[in-house]
Amino acid sequence: MLDHHSDAYGLNDLGDIAGWALQFGPSQPSVVWTADGQTLRLPVGDLGVNQIQGTAEHINNHGDVVGLDSNPGPHGGNPDFEPLGWVAFQATEASPVVKANLLSLVDPAGVAYWRRLHPFEINDRGEICGIGVATDFMGTSGGARGFLMVPNTPDRFRNLSRALRGVNGHPVLIAKGTLEPGTAVDVALYKAAPNASGFLMLGLDTLYAPLKGGVLVPDVGSAGGVMLPAITDGSGAVTLASTWPVGIPANVEIVAQYWIADAAGAHGFSASNAITQTSN
């Protein structure tokens, strides 16, 4: 059960929940309830802290959150709104939460055409959708319109789904990196069977072949395909940090998926969702 006087709006595959709670005083800040039972208050925007009514709408598997801060103004006056995105809510003193007004991320030429944004969802790719109030070139309101924000250089891998359930539910695979030569690549598997052996399957294309009651997404049997042995830790996780090698040409599609030995899985295996990214 979540905090008294709270509301939950978004849930990711790891069990983290986004919403708001009143436990932090007179304001209503956006919060994240983590899968391990913590309640984390997200930083407020620039509207002030005393009268904030925050709503964290959605959280993806990377821990990126989108939502809205509003200040209703004195005596029920016209409210102010600030569309917000938060990155890395799992913050420490050495690595604080990164907060951004979403309008500051829009091309300056387009900001003048949006008077208000309300983000509703962010996927693992970092793409954000919602509703906003647009204006025409004369500054006249054009009414509510849906919007989609797409990163200029996505550093999150796209989720292809197709996970196969195991002892801890569906294993979750995420990765971050632009796949530019010499840049960092971070890959993480969660919710797999603990202390289990398996393989990270890598291919240069998708296959979508039936396997052990699930679907093998990477084409590991064609040129460039590879199976890397892996062992999960006591929580069912595997984390890898590396550097994208020099010499791999641009526009090469990389497809990845974990398969793990799992007595609770169909035919003795579970599988993560598959992910993909294109090299730069």
Side-chain angles (χ1 to χ4, degrees), residues 45-143:
D46 298 323
L47 301 178
V49 298
N50 293 326
Q51 298 297 323
I52 285 297
Q53 293 182 358
T55 302
E57 295 279 3
H58 192 256
I59 181 170
N60 67 14
N61 289 331
H62 292 278
D64 305 324
V65 183
V66 292
L68 192 73
D69 271 1
S70 64
N71 187 330
H75 310 296
N78 292 328
D80 293 321
F81 295 90
E82 185 175 0
L84 295 174
W86 297 272
V87 179
F89 73 87
Q90 311 95 328
T92 65
E93 291 184 3
S95 179
V97 171
V98 177
K99 168 186 65 69
N101 184 317
L102 296 185
L103 281 173
S104 70
L105 306 180
V106 178
D107 188 306
V111 170
Y113 298 101
W114 291 101
R115 298 177 57 190
R116 187 175 297 166
L117 296 179
H118 189 154
F120 288 128
E121 189 162 346
I122 180 169
N123 64 16
D124 287 348
R125 186 73 163 170
E127 297 164 336
I128 301 169
C129 67
I131 191 170
V133 176
T135 61
D136 60 21
F137 69 96
M138 295 292 291
T140 304
S141 175

Side-chain angles (χ1 to χ4, degrees), residues 137-154:
F137 69 96
M138 295 292 291
T140 304
S141 175
R145 296 185 181 182
F147 71 85
L148 172 66
M149 297 181 67
V150 179
N152 289 331
T153 307

Side-chain angles (χ1 to χ4, degrees), residues 62 125 154-158 173-190 200 202 228 238-246 248 252 254-256 258 275-280:
H62 292 278
R125 186 73 163 170
D155 65 351
R156 266 65 164 167
F157 284 48
R158 184 161 58 93
L173 176 60
I174 58 176
K176 180 179 179 181
T178 60
L179 302 193
E180 296 177 349
T183 60
V185 181
D186 297 303
V187 182
L189 173 71
Y190 300 103
L200 173 59
L202 297 172
L228 302 178
V238 179
T239 56
L240 302 174
S242 187
T243 301
W244 191 247
V246 176
I248 296 180
V252 173
I254 307 298
V255 184
Y258 269 101
I275 56 176
T276 185
Q277 177 72 298
T278 302
S279 63
N280 288 287

